[in-house]
Amino acid sequence: MMRIIPIASGKGGVGKSLVSANLGVAFAQAGQRVVLADLDLGASNLHLVLGHHAPQTGIGTFLNNTKSDFANVITETDVRGLRFIPGDNEIPGTANLKVPQLKALVKQLMALKNDTDILILDLGAGTHQSILDFFLLSGQGIVVSAPAVTAVLNAYVFLKNAVFRLMFTSFGKSSKARTHLEKLRKDGAGHQKLYIPKILPEIKAIDRESYDRFVGHLEKLRPRLIMNMVDEPKDADVAMKIRRSCEEYLDLKLEHLGIIYRDAIQDTALSSRLPIILYKPQSILSQAIYRIADKILQTDEDTYTLNDKEIDESFQEAGMEAEIDFDNKLEYVEDLLHSGALTQGDLIETVKSQQIEIAKLKKENSFVKLKLTQAMQQGFKA
Ligand SMILES: Nc1ncnc2c1ncn2[C@@H]1O[C@H](COP(=O)(O)OP(=O)(O)OP(=O)(O)O)[C@@H](O)[C@H]1O
Ligand SMILES: [Mg+2]
């Protein structure tokens, strides 16, 4: 069976493409037959992370003529076992695709199952319906977030929209449940006042069949979180906020796949046109990717439902890993110093620039926090 792993975030620029490309390489190295698809149409850049030149043909080529041979847009990569489907910047974005185009694309992606073990979908930012539908192609999508308040909020909002989309599609067109949901939507301020534990009993009372179908689907929805761009161990704590909101307001259990530190080495990897795990497999960043890839490979798709204890453990583990990686990061700097690869002067420069960056981020954060306090209170209470 082909595993589908959609990678989403809500907010842009948090590392979806970095995670997609490097997990793709890691899975291929582990002997899996992997296809990596860039579905961030209109803003495709996954080829850059892979170190490929701007592609001549991509998904857009197929979408412009859905009768054409899909095999033409699948390319080999330098990594054995890893194939790549480039996106397209010529077409105006995933959000603008027509339903027949989306259907044709999904059909072709599903048909990959004959010779593919893992299909990774790098999704665009935002919560447009078509992005949610790609995310819901699988119960085990990954949401990438970062410690910044905006990123956390967007990750939650993305998951909330995904659950509501699932609810909507679970209810038949003229079902009582669908009518009720639409009425709630109209009455309330958008999704603001809707939350699952409140709505479910209402649906159950008026339309048992729709209720059962949705609950059946919701049980299989087990999204997983990656916290990227972490600077220090306590940054990792914000993951708990997303988790709690998901449990309280969405009846959704979120597993923590782990944290990834922010590392300037990624810039060097990018300009060297190599995914970081090929460029520097020993770096803390690459090791974090391998650790996450292992966790994913170890979970058995068919029986994949974590109980409360395992969910708890996944968050504790991520917290511990954050501490360990931080220590390793410091040791790494010490090693560089001893070996002379990094001079005291370099170190002072690095620390200075990091402090400036952190100070800048803190300022930005408190400003955003101020602006968002209200929105958060409403959003998270929803
Ligand atoms: N852990 C990290 N350390 C350092 N740089 C990182 C890290 N993760 C991502 N980056 C950098 O941050 C930028 C954004 O990452 P990336 O393109 O993967 O995000 P994205 O979520 O795919 O963005 P978009 O929404 O634009 O598609 C890139 O320049 C990437 O190299
Ligand atoms: Mg991207």
Side-chain angles (χ1 to χ4, degrees):
M1 210 171 90
M2 176 172 75
R3 288 190 197 208
I4 303 178
I5 307 183
I7 303 194
S9 69
K11 187 179 184 318
V14 295
K16 288 180 297 296
S17 299
L18 173 117
V19 167
S20 304
N22 285 285
L23 278 183
V25 176
F27 291 145
Q29 286 177 343
Q32 304 283 316
R33 295 167 300 173
V34 185
V35 172
L36 183 58
D38 189 348
L39 292 187
D40 191 0
L41 305 173
S44 296
N45 62 6
L46 189 55
H47 59 278
L48 291 179
V49 191
L50 277 178
H52 283 214
H53 291 282
Q56 296 293 320
T57 54
I59 287 182
T61 319
F62 169 75
L63 290 172
N64 284 331
N65 175 11
T66 50
K67 299 264 182 312
S68 64
D69 189 358
F70 192 66
N72 290 337
V73 300
I74 309 177
T75 64
E76 297 293 328
T77 69
D78 292 338
V79 179
R80 192 184 169 156
L82 177 65
R83 291 182 295 159
F84 176 47
I85 305 178
D88 202 305
N89 290 322
E90 301 302 314
I91 54 173
T94 320
N96 296 301
L97 291 182
K98 301 202 174 66
V99 175
Q101 284 178 309
L102 274 176
K103 279 195 174 150
L105 178 56
V106 169
K107 194 174 155 208
Q108 294 299 334
L109 291 173
M110 292 311 215
L112 293 168
K113 69 175 189 291
N114 299 324
D115 57 359
T116 306
D117 300 312
I118 302 182
L119 169 63
I120 299 175
L121 309 175
D122 182 6
L123 303 180
T127 55
H128 189 271
Q129 189 176 307
S130 53
I131 296 174
L132 297 174
D133 286 342
F134 279 124
F135 188 76
L136 292 170
L137 282 179
S138 150
Q140 282 107 58
I142 293 178
V143 172
V144 181
S145 188
V149 184
T150 41
V152 168
L153 186 68
N154 279 300
Y156 172 70
V157 168
F158 180 85
L159 286 165
K160 180 167 180 177
N161 281 301
V163 170
F164 274 90
R165 177 73 187 151
L166 185 65
M167 176 137 86
F168 197 75
T169 53
S170 303
F171 297 164
K173 263 210 181 85
S174 46
S175 64
K176 282 189 183 140
R178 172 87 72 104
T179 314
H180 183 66
L181 185 60
E182 270 162 1
K183 186 173 176 300
L184 284 176
R185 267 184 172 167
K186 264 187 220 129
D187 294 350
H191 281 177
Q192 290 294 326
K193 291 191 187 101
L194 303 183
Y195 63 98
I196 300 295
K198 178 167 171 283
I199 297 174
L200 272 189
E202 296 171 14
I203 302 282
K204 190 176 179 181
I206 58 165
D207 183 349
R208 186 60 195 253
E209 198 187 321
S210 298
Y211 168 86
D212 286 342
R213 198 172 320 121
F214 171 63
V215 170
H217 289 160
L218 189 62
E219 265 165 18
K220 292 198 195 94
L221 188 62
R222 288 284 182 266
R224 300 177 282 183
L225 178 72
I226 293 178
M227 261 294 159
N228 186 24
M229 312 263 201
V230 171
D231 283 312
E232 44 181 329
K234 74 170 177 28
D235 283 353
D237 298 347
V238 295
M240 284 306 289
K241 282 195 189 150
I242 309 182
R243 178 196 175 183
R244 243 179 263 130
S245 307
C246 283
E247 279 183 10
E248 265 180 56
Y249 307 124
L250 304 179
D251 263 350
L252 196 63
K253 290 203 164 74
L254 191 67
E255 184 197 352
H256 203 331
L257 276 177
I259 58 102
I260 304 176
Y261 274 92
R262 187 205 304 271
D263 191 338
I265 198 172
Q266 166 57 16
D267 295 337
T268 333
L270 264 187
S271 48
S272 312
R273 311 183 66 88
L274 276 178
I276 182 78
I277 67 167
L278 294 179
Y279 180 72
K280 245 207 173 100
Q282 295 310 325
S283 64
I284 311 282
L285 212 172
S286 302
Q287 291 299 315
I289 301 268
Y290 278 124
R291 192 168 58 203
I292 289 169
D294 276 346
K295 282 188 199 171
I296 295 171
L297 288 176
Q298 276 165 22
T299 53
D300 181 359
E301 182 96 1
D302 295 333
T303 58
Y304 182 72
T305 39
L306 295 182
N307 59 36
D308 290 354
K309 191 165 149 271
E310 286 163 330
I311 298 266
D312 269 343
E313 280 166 6
S314 77
F315 276 78
Q316 280 163 17
E317 209 174 302
M320 249 154 48
E321 286 162 0
E323 303 271 356
I324 294 168
D325 280 6
F326 191 67
D327 291 344
N328 287 339
K329 222 168 79 160
L330 295 182
E331 247 172 56
Y332 186 62
V333 172
E334 266 169 36
D335 286 352
L336 286 175
L337 267 179
H338 285 304
S339 70
L342 195 71
T343 65
Q344 288 284 358
D346 290 338
L347 183 63
I348 292 169
E349 273 307 303
T350 314
V351 171
K352 257 195 212 151
S353 67
Q354 286 211 343
Q355 274 170 348
I356 291 170
E357 203 176 312
I358 289 172
K360 209 175 76 195
L361 281 171
K362 276 190 183 144
K363 233 189 223 162
E364 201 177 282
N365 258 350
S366 53
F367 175 71
V368 173
K369 243 181 225 158
L370 203 77
K371 288 268 171 204
L372 283 178
T373 309
Q374 247 190 330
M376 287 269 273
Q377 278 167 351
Q378 283 178 355
F380 280 96
K381 266 184 211 145

